Amino acid sequence: MYSYPKIARERAENMARAAKSEPERGLAFQGAPGANSYLAALEYDPKGLPLPCFSFSDAIDAVKRGDADRAMIPIENSQHGRVADIHFLLPESGLHIIDEFFIPIHHCLMSKSDGPFSSVLSHPQALGQCRHYLKEHGITPVSYADTAGAAAAVAMSDDANIAAIAPAIAADMYGLKMIAENIEDADHNMTRFVVLARDAVVPPADKPVMTSLLFEVKNIPAALYKAMGGFATNGVNSTKLESYIRGDNFSAAEFYLDIIGMPGDPAVDRALDELRFHSKWVRILGSYKQSRERH
């Protein structure tokens, strides 16, 4: 929290006090007040108490300590791909994915002056989602920890040539002029969040269910083909498969996988048995109801 610009830190401290006074309503998120994750937390649980955290790991630690009941972490964006490295953060945390949530993302250009602007501060994801706009206007992107924090930093700066990219609410919060709205490069810009908690949940039986998991294939020819074969032969739909490398070991890839269904379903159990047979290890991150149906 204490790495925020002063104007944002004051708001964050007030929110943190409220959330920690009723941790059962606390919903930790990464970013300063006014960030997209803040908006997602408000929309996901209007009765919750958002708890600002400077980093994704801070948000996870807040749940582990009991300062908040849940955390909301953005995991992927429809335009710019992976957001948080949940593959690294979640396995060691002991937390479980209990829900997912989607929100449309709209970016705005804001500043203390009317421009022109030589540079713009924002989170790398936001900069990437607005890269065509920035190139067209000749504005140099500068990475910042989060969108709302960037807006607060611009509000405290004396440089009239810098701007921030952030949600519209951040301009109101930090007293900035709205220069341009909806500058994202695609109108279908959508971010998927996952909700984390200390205890796993049993999803409702009458709703479509997702399961997220990690695994590492054995270092043999066709290892991934063999590991995933059970999902095809048992009719289990895989909606996301993403590889990543941990540390400096490039000999075998680890994978993040989303499937439709959950352990206890006979077809899923058979597929998971085959996955385990062809993998070094398999770790279930959580089963939860679908927020948006996959086709």
Side-chain angles (χ1 to χ4, degrees):
M1 179 187 303
Y2 295 100
S3 295
Y4 295 133
K6 184 177 184 296
I7 192 174
R9 186 167 67 241
E10 294 169 350
R11 288 181 176 270
E13 288 172 344
N14 290 334
M15 288 184 184
R17 278 193 293 269
K20 291 178 182 179
S21 69
E22 297 183 72
E24 69 279 1
R25 295 172 58 197
L27 189 53
F29 68 94
Q30 184 273 332
N36 283 302
S37 293
Y38 168 75
L39 297 178
L42 290 179
E43 188 173 337
Y44 175 75
D45 184 1
K47 296 182 179 179
L49 294 173
L51 173 60
C53 300
F54 189 72
S55 68
F56 293 122
S57 60
D58 290 340
I60 288 173
D61 288 342
V63 177
K64 291 171 62 178
R65 289 193 306 267
D67 291 342
D69 185 60
R70 296 155 297 168
M72 280 196 86
I73 303 294
I75 188 172
E76 60 181 319
N77 176 265
S78 61
Q79 185 181 341
H80 207 58
R82 182 192 300 178
V83 179
D85 283 327
I86 199 166
H87 337 74
F88 305 118
L89 295 172
L90 192 53
E92 291 79 17
S93 71
L95 302 184
H96 305 269
I97 300 177
I98 64 166
D99 209 351
E100 65 174 358
F101 190 66
F102 293 81
I103 65 165
I105 302 296
H106 299 292
H107 295 301
C108 301
L109 187 72
M110 56 193 70
S111 181
K112 293 172 70 174
S113 73
D114 295 320
F117 306 110
S118 58
S119 59
V120 62
L121 305 181
S122 197
H123 187 276
Q125 276 280 333
L127 296 172
Q129 293 163 24
C130 303
R131 61 186 181 276
H132 297 317
Y133 177 92
L134 297 179
K135 183 177 181 181
E136 179 183 345
H137 290 81
I139 305 175
T140 301
V142 179
S143 294
Y144 201 84
D146 72 278
T147 54
V154 169
M156 296 186 65
S157 173
D158 294 326
D159 188 347
N161 299 121
I162 66 170
I165 293 176
I169 192 175
D172 294 331
M173 281 187 167
Y174 303 116
L176 295 177
K177 296 181 179 181
M178 183 67 70
I179 307 301
E181 298 183 72
N182 300 330
I183 65 171
E184 60 275 7
D185 296 331
D187 57 10
H188 56 75
N189 195 19
M190 184 79 63
T191 293
R192 176 191 178 206
F193 289 78
V194 291
V195 182
L196 311 178
R198 291 182 295 279
D199 298 319
V201 300
V202 178
D206 59 341
K207 302 289 185 180
V209 173
M210 300 286 296
T211 294
S212 298
L213 56 114
L214 303 174
F215 65 95
E216 181 181 352
V217 295
K218 296 178 180 178
N219 191 17
I220 58 175
L224 181 60
Y225 173 82
K226 294 175 181 177
M228 294 295 295
F231 295 99
T233 57
N234 287 284
V236 177
N237 188 16
S238 304
T239 63
K240 180 181 177 66
L241 177 65
E242 187 173 54
S243 65
Y244 62 100
I245 299 294
R246 186 187 299 271
D248 59 356
N249 182 6
F250 291 87
S251 62
E254 299 178 12
F255 292 87
Y256 172 94
L257 175 66
D258 285 334
I259 62 171
I260 296 178
M262 63 178 292
D265 299 340
V268 172
D269 287 343
R270 290 192 296 269
L272 289 176
D273 285 343
E274 192 160 344
L275 176 66
R276 291 187 179 99
F277 181 80
H278 293 291
S279 301
K280 294 181 180 179
W281 52 264
V282 176
R283 185 170 295 159
I284 305 294
L285 300 179
S287 297
Y288 46 94
K289 72 179 187 303
Q290 290 185 27
S291 175
R292 171 173 294 193
E293 188 174 355
R294 274 65 162 184
H295 298 286

